[in-house]
Amino acid sequence: GDSVTQMEGPVTLSEEAFLTINCTYTATGYPSLFWYVQYPGEGLQLLLKATKADDKGSNKGFEATYRKETTSFHLEKGSVQVSDSAVYFCALRLDRGSTLGRLYFGRGTQLTVWP
Amino acid sequence: NAGVMQNPRHLVRRRGQEARLRCSPMKGHSHVYWYRQLPEEGLKFMVYLQKENIIDESGMPKERFSAEFPKEGPSILRIQQVVRGDSAAYFCASSPGGGTEAFFGQGTRLTVV
């Protein structure tokens, strides 16, 4: 079935380190792909998205490229900050029929950045 | 424009009681989705509603859980006779259309004691 697999956490980095969180997906059809961020005690906020193959989503220094050949959407940031500490969720959306708008989430990756 | 509002933020219920979770979508949004987040897990889809209609409830447990989105007022997720396994964070998201970006509320954290 349709699903998302993302890198297990937790991930602990020093400030200004490079970040990669891996995400791969299984889907029938052509999904849209998303990264959401959840700060402690808060709801999910959309971080970035890509709607078709080879699209690159970017926001706040984070980037992810929709790779159809490897069914991946890895999240990267060149230099993390303490304020990036949060849980990151990869998700896909299949816009067909009754599943229109429904999101399928990975398990989430906890990121902690130390000063 | 206020965001998606969920209340209460925290809810404690004893086993066997009923839990009612409310979600007021963003202004102009007529599509509502409910998700459940169990500890250490990602969000799992529960139900998709439009005003007065349930579009997809394939993620809802068959018993004790129900959802509605009336013509007026918030969407309600109702859990009857709660059990400890119902303890989780319940998130609501709304969108103006089925294939458009969904905005999430801050969630209701249900604890069953």
Side-chain angles (χ1 to χ4, degrees):
Chain A
D2 306 310
S3 66
V4 173
T5 302
Q6 69 180 96
M7 190 169 95
E8 295 276 332
V11 174
T12 303
L13 295 172
S14 298
E15 206 165 27
E16 299 184 3
F18 183 84
L19 169 70
T20 300
I21 302 177
N22 290 338
C23 171
T24 58
Y25 67 90
T26 302
T28 51
Y30 303 96
S32 296
L33 301 173
F34 304 82
W35 278 100
Y36 282 85
V37 58
Q38 184 181 30
Y39 297 101
E42 300 293 323
L44 274 70
Q45 300 174 25
L46 178 64
L47 180 60
L48 54 83
K49 67 180 181 183
T51 58
K52 61 183 187 296
D54 300 325
D55 269 2
K56 178 187 282 188
S58 61
N59 186 24
K60 300 180 181 179
F62 291 89
E63 293 183 339
T65 301
Y66 189 144
R67 301 283 187 204
K68 187 169 176 235
E69 63 276 12
T70 54
T71 61
S72 64
F73 193 55
H74 304 321
L75 182 69
E76 296 182 336
K77 186 173 185 181
S79 176
V80 294
Q81 306 299 312
V82 172
S83 57
D84 294 327
S85 297
V87 180
Y88 291 81
F89 292 95
C90 185
L92 70 82
R93 192 181 74 202
L94 289 161
D95 293 326
R96 61 168 188 257
S98 64
T99 68
L100 193 65
R102 173 177 174 177
L103 289 160
Y104 297 78
F105 286 91
R107 291 173 63 98
T109 302
Q110 171 75 55
L111 170 66
T112 302
V113 181
W114 297 100
Chain B
N1 186 8
V4 178
M5 303 300 292
Q6 289 188 250
N7 66 81
R9 292 289 306 276
H10 301 275
L11 181 62
V12 179
R13 284 286 176 267
R14 295 186 185 280
R15 282 178 293 171
Q17 291 185 319
E18 178 179 283
R20 279 191 171 208
L21 288 63
R22 293 175 182 74
C23 170
S24 296
M26 290 179 69
K27 187 176 180 181
H29 288 193
S30 59
H31 296 243
V32 166
Y33 303 82
W34 285 93
Y35 293 85
R36 177 165 65 175
Q37 184 180 30
L38 294 169
E40 308 299 324
E41 292 193 16
L43 281 73
K44 303 291 187 188
F45 168 80
M46 299 183 75
V47 62
Y48 166 31
L49 309 107
Q50 294 178 29
K51 286 281 188 181
E52 300 184 278
N53 284 305
I54 297 175
I55 306 302
D56 179 4
E57 58 181 346
S58 59
M60 289 272 273
K62 293 290 185 278
E63 298 177 351
R64 303 187 296 108
F65 285 72
S66 62
E68 63 177 9
F69 188 15
K71 186 177 179 181
E72 301 290 338
S75 175
I76 306 288
L77 179 67
R78 183 182 292 109
I79 311 172
Q80 296 178 304
Q81 299 176 325
V82 295
V83 301
R84 287 230 172 100
D86 297 332
S87 296
Y90 292 82
F91 289 95
C92 164
S94 75
S95 70
T100 57
E101 181 182 341
F103 294 81
F104 282 80
Q106 292 184 303
T108 293
R109 282 154 181 83
L110 171 66
T111 302
V112 179
V113 297

